Amino acid sequence: MYNGIGLQTARGSGTNGYVQRNMALIRNTKNKIDFRTEEELQKLEDQRTRGPNAEIREHARKRALELKCAEMEDVMREQG
């Protein structure tokens, strides 16, 4: 017996005493409709339309500058 569920003993029951969950049970969780408030909708809209992160833009700018420096260094090495 597990948590008070099932048989005390399997003797004479014609089963092995194994208790399993009923997966055919249908629950009514789909019927609940959760409406969003205007504040939640505005918050979601703001998250969707915000611009790129300033740190990411700064990093991309530094990478572009580093690439330009590497190209100039290659040109200078070729020229001697």
Coordinates of all heavy atoms in Angstrom, one line a residue:
M1 N 0.8 -1.2 0.0 CA 0.0 0.0 0.0 C 0.9 1.2 0.0 O 1.9 1.3 0.7 CB -0.9 0.0 1.2 CG -1.8 1.2 1.3 SD -3.2 1.0 2.3 CE -2.6 1.3 3.9
Y2 N 0.5 2.2 -0.8 CA 1.3 3.4 -0.9 C 0.5 4.6 -0.6 O -0.5 4.9 -1.3 CB 1.9 3.5 -2.3 CG 2.8 4.7 -2.6 CD1 4.1 4.7 -2.0 CD2 2.4 5.8 -3.3 CE1 4.9 5.8 -2.2 CE2 3.2 6.8 -3.5 CZ 4.5 6.9 -3.0 OH 5.3 7.9 -3.2
N3 N 0.8 5.4 0.4 CA 0.0 6.6 0.8 C -1.5 6.3 1.0 O -2.3 7.1 0.7 CB 0.1 7.7 -0.2 CG 1.5 8.4 -0.1 OD1 2.2 8.3 0.9 ND2 1.8 9.1 -1.2
G4 N -1.8 5.1 1.5 CA -3.2 4.7 1.8 C -3.9 4.3 0.6 O -5.2 4.2 0.6
I5 N -3.3 4.1 -0.5 CA -4.0 3.8 -1.8 C -3.6 2.4 -2.1 O -2.4 2.0 -2.0 CB -3.5 4.7 -2.9 CG1 -3.8 6.2 -2.6 CG2 -4.2 4.3 -4.2 CD1 -3.2 7.2 -3.6
G6 N -4.6 1.6 -2.5 CA -4.3 0.2 -3.0 C -4.7 -0.8 -1.9 O -5.3 -0.5 -0.9
L7 N -4.3 -2.0 -2.2 CA -4.6 -3.1 -1.3 C -3.6 -3.2 -0.1 O -2.4 -2.9 -0.3 CB -4.6 -4.4 -2.1 CG -5.5 -4.5 -3.3 CD1 -5.2 -5.7 -4.1 CD2 -7.0 -4.5 -2.9
Q8 N -4.0 -3.7 1.0 CA -3.1 -4.0 2.1 C -2.2 -5.1 1.7 O -1.0 -5.1 2.0 CB -3.9 -4.4 3.3 CG -4.7 -3.3 4.0 CD -3.8 -2.2 4.6 OE1 -2.6 -2.5 5.0 NE2 -4.3 -1.0 4.7
T9 N -2.7 -6.1 1.1 CA -1.9 -7.2 0.6 C -2.5 -7.7 -0.7 O -3.7 -7.6 -1.0 CB -1.9 -8.4 1.6 OG1 -1.1 -9.5 1.1 CG2 -3.3 -8.9 2.0
A10 N -1.7 -8.3 -1.6 CA -2.1 -8.7 -2.9 C -2.6 -10.1 -2.8 O -3.2 -10.6 -3.8 CB -1.0 -8.6 -3.9
R11 N -2.5 -10.8 -1.7 CA -3.0 -12.2 -1.6 C -4.5 -12.3 -1.8 O -5.2 -11.6 -1.2 CB -2.6 -12.8 -0.2 CG -1.1 -13.0 -0.1 CD -0.7 -13.6 1.2 NE -1.2 -15.0 1.2 CZ -1.1 -15.7 2.3 NH1 -0.6 -15.3 3.4 NH2 -1.5 -17.0 2.3
G12 N -4.9 -13.2 -2.7 CA -6.3 -13.5 -2.9 C -7.0 -12.5 -3.7 O -8.2 -12.6 -3.9
S13 N -6.3 -11.5 -4.2 CA -7.0 -10.4 -5.0 C -7.0 -10.7 -6.5 O -7.7 -10.1 -7.2 CB -6.4 -9.1 -4.7 OG -5.1 -9.1 -5.3
G14 N -6.2 -11.6 -6.9 CA -6.1 -11.9 -8.3 C -5.2 -10.9 -9.1 O -5.2 -10.9 -10.3
T15 N -4.5 -10.0 -8.3 CA -3.7 -9.0 -9.0 C -2.3 -9.1 -8.3 O -2.1 -9.8 -7.3 CB -4.2 -7.6 -8.8 OG1 -4.1 -7.3 -7.4 CG2 -5.6 -7.4 -9.3
N16 N -1.4 -8.4 -8.9 CA 0.0 -8.4 -8.2 C 0.1 -7.2 -7.2 O 1.1 -7.1 -6.6 CB 1.0 -8.2 -9.3 CG 1.0 -6.9 -10.1 OD1 0.1 -6.1 -9.9 ND2 1.9 -6.7 -11.0
G17 N -0.9 -6.4 -7.1 CA -0.9 -5.3 -6.1 C -0.3 -4.1 -6.6 O -0.2 -3.1 -5.8
Y18 N 0.1 -4.0 -7.8 CA 0.7 -2.8 -8.4 C -0.3 -1.7 -8.6 O -1.3 -2.0 -9.2 CB 1.5 -3.1 -9.7 CG 2.2 -1.9 -10.2 CD1 3.4 -1.4 -9.7 CD2 1.7 -1.3 -11.4 CE1 4.0 -0.4 -10.2 CE2 2.3 -0.2 -11.9 CZ 3.5 0.3 -11.3 OH 4.2 1.3 -11.9
V19 N -0.1 -0.5 -8.1 CA -1.1 0.6 -8.2 C -0.5 1.6 -9.2 O 0.6 2.0 -9.1 CB -1.3 1.3 -6.9 CG1 -2.3 2.4 -7.0 CG2 -1.8 0.3 -5.8
Q20 N -1.3 1.9 -10.2 CA -0.8 2.9 -11.2 C -1.9 4.0 -11.4 O -3.1 3.8 -11.0 CB -0.5 2.2 -12.5 CG -1.6 1.5 -13.2 CD -1.1 0.8 -14.4 OE1 0.0 1.0 -14.8 NE2 -2.0 0.0 -15.0
R21 N -1.5 5.1 -11.9 CA -2.3 6.3 -12.1 C -3.3 6.1 -13.2 O -2.9 5.5 -14.3 CB -1.4 7.5 -12.3 CG -2.1 8.8 -12.3 CD -1.1 9.9 -12.4 NE -1.8 11.1 -12.8 CZ -1.2 12.1 -13.3 NH1 0.1 12.1 -13.5 NH2 -1.8 13.2 -13.6
N22 N -4.5 6.6 -13.1 CA -5.4 6.5 -14.2 C -5.2 7.7 -15.2 O -5.5 8.8 -14.9 CB -6.9 6.6 -13.6 CG -7.9 6.6 -14.7 OD1 -7.6 6.3 -15.9 ND2 -9.2 6.8 -14.3
M23 N -4.6 7.4 -16.3 CA -4.2 8.4 -17.3 C -5.4 8.8 -18.2 O -5.3 9.7 -19.0 CB -3.1 7.9 -18.2 CG -1.8 7.6 -17.4 SD -1.2 8.9 -16.4 CE -0.2 9.7 -17.6
A24 N -6.5 8.1 -18.1 CA -7.7 8.4 -18.9 C -8.6 9.4 -18.2 O -9.5 9.9 -18.9 CB -8.5 7.1 -19.1
L25 N -8.2 9.9 -17.1 CA -9.0 10.9 -16.4 C -8.9 12.2 -17.1 O -7.8 12.7 -17.4 CB -8.5 11.1 -14.9 CG -9.2 12.1 -14.1 CD1 -10.6 11.7 -13.9 CD2 -8.5 12.3 -12.8
I26 N -10.0 12.8 -17.4 CA -10.0 14.1 -18.2 C -10.3 15.2 -17.2 O -11.3 15.2 -16.4 CB -11.1 14.0 -19.3 CG1 -10.8 12.9 -20.2 CG2 -11.2 15.4 -20.0 CD1 -11.9 12.7 -21.3
R27 N -9.4 16.2 -17.2 CA -9.6 17.3 -16.3 C -10.1 18.5 -17.1 O -9.8 18.7 -18.3 CB -8.3 17.7 -15.6 CG -7.9 16.5 -14.7 CD -6.9 17.0 -13.7 NE -6.6 16.0 -12.7 CZ -5.5 15.4 -12.6 NH1 -4.5 15.7 -13.4 NH2 -5.3 14.5 -11.7
N28 N -10.9 19.4 -16.5 CA -11.5 20.5 -17.2 C -10.6 21.8 -17.0 O -11.1 22.8 -16.5 CB -12.9 20.8 -16.7 CG -13.8 19.7 -17.0 OD1 -13.6 19.0 -18.0 ND2 -14.9 19.5 -16.2
T29 N -9.4 21.7 -17.4 CA -8.5 22.9 -17.3 C -8.6 23.8 -18.5 O -8.2 24.9 -18.5 CB -7.1 22.5 -17.0 OG1 -6.7 21.6 -18.1 CG2 -6.9 21.7 -15.7
K30 N -9.1 23.2 -19.6 CA -9.2 24.0 -20.8 C -10.3 25.1 -20.8 O -10.3 26.1 -21.5 CB -9.5 23.1 -22.0 CG -8.3 22.4 -22.6 CD -8.7 21.7 -23.8 CE -7.5 21.5 -24.7 NZ -7.8 20.8 -26.0
N31 N -11.3 24.8 -19.9 CA -12.5 25.7 -19.9 C -12.1 27.0 -19.2 O -12.8 28.0 -19.4 CB -13.6 25.0 -19.1 CG -14.1 23.8 -19.8 OD1 -13.9 23.7 -21.0 ND2 -14.8 23.0 -19.1
K32 N -11.0 27.1 -18.5 CA -10.7 28.4 -17.8 C -10.0 29.3 -18.8 O -9.0 29.0 -19.5 CB -9.7 28.1 -16.7 CG -9.3 29.3 -15.9 CD -8.4 29.0 -14.8 CE -7.9 30.2 -14.1 NZ -6.9 30.0 -13.1
I33 N -10.6 30.5 -19.0 CA -10.0 31.5 -19.9 C -9.4 32.6 -19.1 O -10.0 33.2 -18.2 CB -11.1 32.1 -20.8 CG1 -11.7 31.0 -21.7 CG2 -10.6 33.2 -21.7 CD1 -12.9 31.4 -22.5
D34 N -8.1 32.9 -19.3 CA -7.4 33.9 -18.6 C -7.2 35.1 -19.5 O -6.5 35.1 -20.4 CB -6.0 33.4 -18.1 CG -5.3 34.3 -17.2 OD1 -6.0 35.1 -16.6 OD2 -4.1 34.2 -17.1
F35 N -8.0 36.2 -19.2 CA -7.9 37.4 -19.9 C -6.7 38.3 -19.4 O -6.5 38.4 -18.2 CB -9.2 38.2 -19.9 CG -10.3 37.5 -20.5 CD1 -11.3 36.8 -19.7 CD2 -10.5 37.4 -21.9 CE1 -12.3 36.1 -20.3 CE2 -11.5 36.7 -22.5 CZ -12.4 36.1 -21.7
R36 N -6.1 39.0 -20.3 CA -5.0 39.9 -20.0 C -5.6 41.3 -19.8 O -6.4 41.7 -20.5 CB -3.9 39.9 -21.0 CG -3.3 38.5 -21.2 CD -2.2 38.6 -22.2 NE -1.7 37.3 -22.6 CZ -0.6 36.8 -22.1 NH1 0.2 37.5 -21.3 NH2 -0.2 35.6 -22.4
T37 N -5.0 42.0 -18.9 CA -5.4 43.4 -18.6 C -4.7 44.3 -19.6 O -3.8 43.9 -20.3 CB -5.1 43.8 -17.2 OG1 -3.7 43.8 -17.0 CG2 -5.7 42.9 -16.2
E38 N -5.1 45.5 -19.7 CA -4.5 46.5 -20.6 C -3.1 46.8 -20.2 O -2.2 47.0 -21.1 CB -5.3 47.8 -20.5 CG -6.7 47.8 -21.2 CD -6.6 47.5 -22.7 OE1 -5.6 48.0 -23.3 OE2 -7.4 46.8 -23.2
E39 N -2.8 46.8 -18.9 CA -1.4 47.0 -18.4 C -0.5 45.9 -18.9 O 0.6 46.1 -19.4 CB -1.4 47.1 -16.9 CG -2.2 48.3 -16.4 CD -2.5 48.1 -14.9 OE1 -2.3 47.0 -14.4 OE2 -3.1 49.0 -14.4
E40 N -1.0 44.6 -18.8 CA -0.2 43.5 -19.3 C 0.1 43.5 -20.8 O 1.2 43.3 -21.2 CB -0.8 42.2 -18.9 CG -0.8 41.9 -17.4 CD -1.6 40.7 -17.0 OE1 -2.5 40.2 -17.9 OE2 -1.4 40.1 -15.9
L41 N -1.0 43.9 -21.5 CA -0.8 44.0 -23.0 C 0.2 45.1 -23.3 O 1.0 44.9 -24.3 CB -2.2 44.3 -23.6 CG -3.2 43.1 -23.6 CD1 -4.6 43.6 -24.1 CD2 -2.7 42.0 -24.3
Q42 N 0.1 46.2 -22.6 CA 1.1 47.3 -22.9 C 2.5 46.9 -22.6 O 3.4 47.2 -23.3 CB 0.7 48.6 -22.1 CG 1.5 49.8 -22.4 CD 1.4 50.2 -23.8 OE1 0.3 50.2 -24.4 NE2 2.5 50.7 -24.4
K43 N 2.6 46.2 -21.5 CA 4.0 45.7 -21.1 C 4.5 44.7 -22.1 O 5.7 44.8 -22.5 CB 3.9 45.0 -19.7 CG 5.2 44.6 -19.1 CD 4.9 43.9 -17.8 CE 6.2 43.4 -17.2 NZ 6.0 42.8 -15.9
L44 N 3.7 43.8 -22.6 CA 4.1 42.9 -23.7 C 4.5 43.6 -25.0 O 5.5 43.3 -25.6 CB 3.1 41.9 -24.0 CG 2.8 40.9 -22.8 CD1 1.6 40.0 -23.2 CD2 4.0 40.0 -22.6
E45 N 3.7 44.7 -25.3 CA 4.0 45.5 -26.5 C 5.3 46.2 -26.4 O 6.1 46.3 -27.3 CB 2.9 46.4 -26.7 CG 3.0 47.3 -28.0 CD 2.9 46.4 -29.3 OE1 2.2 45.4 -29.2 OE2 3.4 46.9 -30.3
D46 N 5.6 46.8 -25.2 CA 6.9 47.5 -25.0 C 8.1 46.5 -25.1 O 9.1 46.9 -25.6 CB 6.8 48.1 -23.6 CG 5.9 49.3 -23.5 OD1 5.4 49.8 -24.6 OD2 5.5 49.7 -22.4
Q47 N 7.9 45.3 -24.6 CA 9.0 44.4 -24.6 C 9.3 44.0 -26.1 O 10.4 43.7 -26.5 CB 8.7 43.1 -23.8 CG 8.7 43.3 -22.3 CD 8.3 42.1 -21.6 OE1 7.8 41.1 -22.2 NE2 8.6 42.1 -20.3
R48 N 8.2 43.9 -26.9 CA 8.4 43.4 -28.3 C 9.0 44.5 -29.1 O 9.8 44.2 -30.1 CB 7.0 43.0 -28.8 CG 7.1 42.3 -30.2 CD 5.8 41.9 -30.7 NE 5.0 43.1 -31.0 CZ 3.8 43.1 -31.4 NH1 3.2 41.9 -31.6 NH2 3.2 44.2 -31.7
T49 N 8.8 45.8 -28.8 CA 9.2 46.9 -29.7 C 10.5 47.6 -29.2 O 10.8 48.6 -29.8 CB 8.1 47.9 -29.9 OG1 7.7 48.4 -28.7 CG2 6.9 47.3 -30.6
R50 N 11.1 47.2 -28.1 CA 12.2 47.9 -27.6 C 13.4 47.7 -28.6 O 13.5 46.7 -29.3 CB 12.6 47.5 -26.2 CG 13.1 46.1 -26.1 CD 13.5 45.8 -24.7 NE 14.1 44.4 -24.7 CZ 14.3 43.7 -23.6 NH1 13.9 44.2 -22.5 NH2 14.8 42.5 -23.7
G51 N 14.3 48.6 -28.5 CA 15.5 48.6 -29.4 C 16.6 47.7 -28.9 O 16.4 47.0 -27.8
P52 N 17.7 47.6 -29.6 CA 18.8 46.7 -29.2 C 19.5 47.3 -27.9 O 19.4 48.4 -27.7 CB 19.7 46.7 -30.4 CG 19.4 47.9 -31.1 CD 18.0 48.2 -30.9
N53 N 20.1 46.4 -27.3 CA 20.8 46.7 -26.0 C 22.0 47.6 -26.3 O 22.7 47.4 -27.3 CB 21.3 45.4 -25.4 CG 21.8 45.7 -24.0 OD1 22.1 46.8 -23.6 ND2 21.9 44.6 -23.2
A54 N 22.2 48.6 -25.5 CA 23.3 49.6 -25.8 C 24.7 48.9 -25.7 O 25.6 49.2 -26.4 CB 23.2 50.7 -24.7
E55 N 24.8 48.0 -24.8 CA 26.1 47.3 -24.6 C 26.4 46.4 -25.9 O 27.6 46.4 -26.3 CB 26.1 46.4 -23.4 CG 26.0 47.1 -22.1 CD 25.9 46.2 -20.9 OE1 25.8 45.0 -21.1 OE2 25.8 46.7 -19.8
I56 N 25.4 45.8 -26.5 CA 25.6 45.0 -27.7 C 26.0 45.9 -28.8 O 26.9 45.6 -29.6 CB 24.3 44.2 -28.0 CG1 24.1 43.2 -26.9 CG2 24.4 43.6 -29.4 CD1 22.8 42.4 -27.1
R57 N 25.3 47.1 -29.0 CA 25.7 48.0 -30.0 C 27.1 48.5 -29.8 O 27.9 48.6 -30.8 CB 24.7 49.2 -30.0 CG 23.3 48.9 -30.5 CD 22.5 50.1 -30.8 NE 22.9 51.3 -30.2 CZ 22.1 52.1 -29.4 NH1 21.0 51.7 -29.1 NH2 22.6 53.2 -28.9
E58 N 27.5 48.8 -28.6 CA 28.9 49.3 -28.3 C 29.9 48.2 -28.7 O 30.9 48.5 -29.3 CB 29.0 49.7 -26.8 CG 30.4 50.2 -26.4 CD 30.7 51.5 -27.1 OE1 29.8 52.2 -27.5 OE2 31.9 51.9 -27.1
H59 N 29.6 47.0 -28.3 CA 30.5 45.9 -28.7 C 30.6 45.7 -30.2 O 31.8 45.5 -30.7 CB 30.0 44.6 -28.0 CG 30.8 43.4 -28.3 ND1 32.1 43.2 -27.7 CD2 30.6 42.3 -29.1 CE1 32.6 42.1 -28.1 NE2 31.7 41.5 -29.0
A60 N 29.5 45.8 -30.9 CA 29.6 45.7 -32.4 C 30.4 46.8 -33.0 O 31.2 46.6 -33.9 CB 28.2 45.7 -32.9
R61 N 30.3 48.0 -32.4 CA 31.1 49.1 -32.9 C 32.6 48.9 -32.7 O 33.4 49.1 -33.6 CB 30.7 50.4 -32.2 CG 31.3 51.7 -32.8 CD 31.0 52.9 -31.9 NE 31.5 52.9 -30.6 CZ 32.8 53.1 -30.3 NH1 33.6 53.5 -31.3 NH2 33.2 53.1 -29.1
K62 N 33.0 48.4 -31.5 CA 34.3 48.1 -31.2 C 34.9 47.0 -32.1 O 36.0 47.1 -32.5 CB 34.5 47.7 -29.7 CG 34.3 48.8 -28.8 CD 34.4 48.3 -27.3 CE 34.2 49.5 -26.3 NZ 34.3 49.0 -24.9
R63 N 34.1 46.0 -32.4 CA 34.5 44.9 -33.3 C 34.8 45.4 -34.7 O 35.7 45.0 -35.3 CB 33.5 43.8 -33.3 CG 33.3 43.0 -32.0 CD 34.4 42.1 -31.8 NE 34.3 41.0 -32.8 CZ 35.1 40.0 -32.9 NH1 36.1 39.9 -32.0 NH2 35.0 39.1 -33.8
A64 N 33.9 46.3 -35.2 CA 34.1 46.9 -36.5 C 35.4 47.7 -36.5 O 36.1 47.7 -37.5 CB 32.9 47.8 -36.9
L65 N 35.6 48.5 -35.5 CA 36.9 49.3 -35.4 C 38.1 48.3 -35.4 O 39.1 48.6 -36.1 CB 36.8 50.2 -34.2 CG 38.0 51.1 -34.0 CD1 38.0 52.1 -35.1 CD2 37.9 51.8 -32.6
E66 N 38.0 47.3 -34.6 CA 39.1 46.3 -34.6 C 39.4 45.7 -35.9 O 40.5 45.5 -36.3 CB 38.8 45.2 -33.5 CG 39.9 44.3 -33.3 CD 39.6 43.2 -32.2 OE1 38.4 43.2 -31.7 OE2 40.4 42.4 -31.9
L67 N 38.3 45.4 -36.6 CA 38.5 44.8 -38.0 C 39.1 45.8 -38.9 O 40.0 45.4 -39.7 CB 37.1 44.4 -38.5 CG 37.1 43.8 -39.9 CD1 37.8 42.5 -40.0 CD2 35.6 43.6 -40.4
K68 N 38.7 47.0 -38.8 CA 39.3 48.0 -39.7 C 40.8 48.2 -39.4 O 41.6 48.4 -40.3 CB 38.6 49.4 -39.5 CG 38.8 50.4 -40.6 CD 37.9 51.6 -40.3 CE 37.4 52.2 -41.6 NZ 36.6 53.3 -41.4
C69 N 41.2 48.2 -38.1 CA 42.6 48.3 -37.7 C 43.4 47.1 -38.3 O 44.5 47.3 -38.7 CB 42.7 48.3 -36.2 SG 42.2 49.9 -35.5
A70 N 42.8 45.9 -38.2 CA 43.5 44.7 -38.7 C 43.7 44.8 -40.2 O 44.8 44.4 -40.8 CB 42.7 43.4 -38.4
E71 N 42.7 45.3 -41.0 CA 42.9 45.5 -42.4 C 43.9 46.5 -42.7 O 44.7 46.3 -43.7 CB 41.5 45.9 -43.0 CG 40.5 44.8 -43.0 CD 39.1 45.2 -43.5 OE1 38.9 46.5 -43.6 OE2 38.2 44.4 -43.7
M72 N 43.9 47.6 -42.0 CA 45.0 48.6 -42.2 C 46.4 48.1 -41.9 O 47.3 48.4 -42.6 CB 44.7 49.9 -41.4 CG 43.4 50.6 -41.8 SD 43.6 51.4 -43.4 CE 44.6 52.7 -43.0
E73 N 46.5 47.3 -40.9 CA 47.7 46.7 -40.6 C 48.2 45.8 -41.7 O 49.4 45.8 -42.0 CB 47.6 45.9 -39.3 CG 48.9 45.3 -38.8 CD 48.7 44.5 -37.5 OE1 47.6 44.5 -36.9 OE2 49.7 43.8 -37.1
D74 N 47.3 45.0 -42.3 CA 47.7 44.1 -43.4 C 48.2 45.0 -44.6 O 49.2 44.6 -45.2 CB 46.5 43.2 -43.8 CG 46.2 42.2 -42.8 OD1 47.1 41.9 -42.0 OD2 45.1 41.6 -42.9
V75 N 47.5 46.1 -44.9 CA 47.9 46.9 -46.0 C 49.2 47.5 -45.7 O 50.1 47.6 -46.6 CB 46.8 48.0 -46.2 CG1 47.3 49.1 -47.2 CG2 45.5 47.4 -46.7
M76 N 49.5 48.0 -44.5 CA 50.8 48.6 -44.2 C 51.9 47.6 -44.3 O 53.0 47.9 -44.7 CB 50.7 49.2 -42.8 CG 49.8 50.4 -42.8 SD 49.5 51.1 -41.1 CE 51.1 51.8 -40.7
R77 N 51.7 46.3 -43.9 CA 52.7 45.3 -43.9 C 53.1 45.0 -45.4 O 54.2 44.7 -45.7 CB 52.2 44.0 -43.3 CG 52.3 44.0 -41.8 CD 51.9 42.7 -41.2 NE 51.7 43.0 -39.8 CZ 52.1 42.1 -38.8 NH1 52.7 41.0 -39.2 NH2 51.8 42.4 -37.6
E78 N 52.0 45.0 -46.3 CA 52.3 44.7 -47.7 C 53.1 45.9 -48.3 O 53.9 45.6 -49.2 CB 51.0 44.6 -48.5 CG 50.2 43.3 -48.2 CD 48.9 43.3 -48.9 OE1 48.5 44.2 -49.6 OE2 48.2 42.3 -48.6
Q79 N 52.9 47.1 -47.8 CA 53.6 48.3 -48.4 C 55.0 48.3 -47.8 O 55.9 49.0 -48.4 CB 52.8 49.5 -48.1 CG 51.5 49.7 -48.9 CD 50.8 50.9 -48.5 OE1 51.2 51.7 -47.6 NE2 49.7 51.1 -49.2
G80 N 55.2 47.7 -46.7 CA 56.6 47.7 -46.1 C 56.6 48.7 -45.0 O 57.5 49.2 -44.5

